[in-house]
Amino acid sequence: MAVRFPRVQTTLNIEGEEVTILREGLRVVFYMPGFHEEVMGAVTQALDRYLHALELESLGWYLDYDGYWWALAEEEPGFLQRKLMDPRGASIEARGRPDSVTGIRFSYVGHSTIPALFARDFPQPMCAVEFWLPTGFLETRGNEAVRSLIVELGRGLPFSSGHAGPALEAWSWGHHTTPILRDRSTRHPGFDLPGPGLGALASYLGTKLRPPAWLNFLGPPVLTELGGAEGLRSRLHSPSTRVEALSPERAVVSLGPVPEAGDLEAGDTLPAYRELARVLEPWLYAHKGSWGDFTEAEVRQWERRFL
């Protein structure tokens, strides 16, 4: 089946070179309660699977702690894996290119202790990991192969929640990207928006849930409160929805065989997404404050777009 979400791309000419500052892609994120040393082995294995799947496409650059980009080709093999296995914690940002959005990206944030500045507001330790796949990867591999890859990325992770689906990746929020982000997210509810920092979002989110996406990963405590995979399955009736238990504590809900963005102007409202949102409403996260250049009111409307 063909990709069922629109191409989105914004470029700027910078000193004679076309640089992509916004594009569509497939975003995969998992949120994991606990400290870094509890999850680092599982995250390293997931990174290995991701890098193996990319084959000729690859992560090319990483960001150091001083904010400078360095070529991974100049480092020893397994450099990112060694950073992940540091018991003191890790904060990793790696991309296909340092100066252009490519749809290939890996991010991870995990702490070995709760920083004193956050202990009062965020007493629960949270780690988060993010993978991006370009749209071309979906077109060449096929939807079922990509779904299987994403499920395998999550299978070994001790997540409380996760999601995967079409998303808009931006180099940064700004006057070049905000109008497009506002227009596309309003018209195509299946698109996820660039978030605040991954670590900050994980801390705010805790064990709450983001809005439904193509693939929805549920773990404790929410899945337990829903009665496990069987209890959740009994509440969902859309013929395109599939609930698969990954373990007694965790499951993935697929909303159709193909990732979709929907199109409100064409009457495509993504009814399966809306059904899941109604079931999960008591556990959905409500962000406080702005989100990028969106006001708090815009963020609230966007978060509740399936309700």
Side-chain angles (χ1 to χ4, degrees):
M1 302 177 76
V3 172
R4 295 177 63 178
F5 52 90
R7 295 281 191 161
V8 179
Q9 188 170 25
T10 300
T11 61
L12 291 179
N13 188 293
I14 300 177
E15 297 181 351
E17 181 179 0
E18 290 295 320
V19 174
T20 301
I21 61 171
L22 174 70
R23 64 171 289 167
E24 88 295 338
L26 206 62
R27 182 179 186 231
V28 185
V29 191
F30 297 97
Y31 305 98
M32 300 164 287
F35 289 110
H36 170 68
E37 56 266 33
E38 300 174 76
V39 306
M40 61 185 186
V43 173
T44 302
Q45 291 180 356
L47 174 60
D48 287 338
R49 291 190 182 96
Y50 174 65
L51 293 175
H52 178 74
L54 287 178
E55 294 181 347
L56 297 179
E57 300 179 274
S58 66
L59 293 169
W61 298 76
Y62 74 95
L63 190 68
D64 71 11
Y65 291 119
D66 295 319
Y68 293 100
W69 289 97
W70 299 91
L72 281 168
E74 298 178 2
E75 305 291 345
E76 293 291 328
F79 173 77
L80 293 180
Q81 289 87 337
R82 288 193 297 275
K83 285 176 68 68
L84 275 172
M85 292 303 291
D86 187 336
R88 296 171 298 179
S91 178
I92 298 174
E93 178 73 19
R95 302 184 182 187
R97 285 180 56 179
D99 58 351
S100 188
V101 177
T102 65
I104 299 174
R105 179 174 175 178
F106 171 79
S107 305
Y108 170 77
V109 177
H111 300 286
S112 59
T113 61
I114 298 177
L117 291 175
F118 298 99
R120 184 187 67 180
D121 297 325
F122 310 114
Q124 181 179 29
M126 291 293 298
C127 302
V129 63
E130 177 183 59
F131 309 88
W132 281 82
L133 295 168
T135 305
F137 188 90
L138 190 66
E139 293 172 333
T140 57
R141 304 299 179 88
N143 299 296
E144 188 54 39
V146 171
R147 179 192 176 279
S148 296
L149 168 63
I150 295 171
V151 170
E152 287 307 309
L153 290 177
R155 190 180 297 276
L157 296 174
F159 60 81
S160 57
S161 70
H163 54 88
L168 298 170
E169 183 185 11
W171 183 252
S172 66
W173 288 76
H175 67 277
H176 292 291
T177 56
T178 297
I180 302 171
L181 290 170
R182 181 175 286 113
D183 174 74
R184 294 293 182 162
S185 63
T186 300
R187 177 175 174 177
H188 305 287
F191 270 135
D192 197 8
L193 286 173
L198 182 64
L201 179 57
S203 297
Y204 283 113
L205 181 71
T207 56
K208 293 283 189 178
L209 306 177
R210 296 288 316 286
W214 174 42
L215 303 180
N216 304 271
F217 293 83
L218 301 175
V222 173
L223 187 64
T224 304
E225 295 174 18
L226 284 165
E230 283 300 321
L232 177 57
R233 189 180 291 114
S234 69
R235 303 180 187 214
L236 300 172
H237 307 290
S238 172
S240 63
T241 297
R242 169 181 170 189
V243 180
E244 176 185 352
L246 302 180
S247 73
E249 292 185 315
R250 293 177 173 84
V252 57
V253 183
S254 305
L255 300 180
V258 182
E260 299 183 70
D263 188 342
L264 298 187
E265 292 186 8
D268 182 5
T269 63
L270 300 178
Y273 292 58
R274 295 177 182 277
E275 180 186 51
L276 180 61
R278 289 192 294 271
V279 170
L280 300 180
E281 184 175 6
W283 298 276
L284 291 180
Y285 168 67
H287 187 74
K288 295 181 180 179
S290 60
W291 182 298
D293 280 352
F294 282 18
T295 66
E296 185 168 357
E298 287 178 309
V299 175
R300 185 63 172 159
Q301 183 178 11
W302 173 68
E303 286 183 323
R304 295 183 61 82
R305 62 196 183 277
F306 293 125
L307 294 171

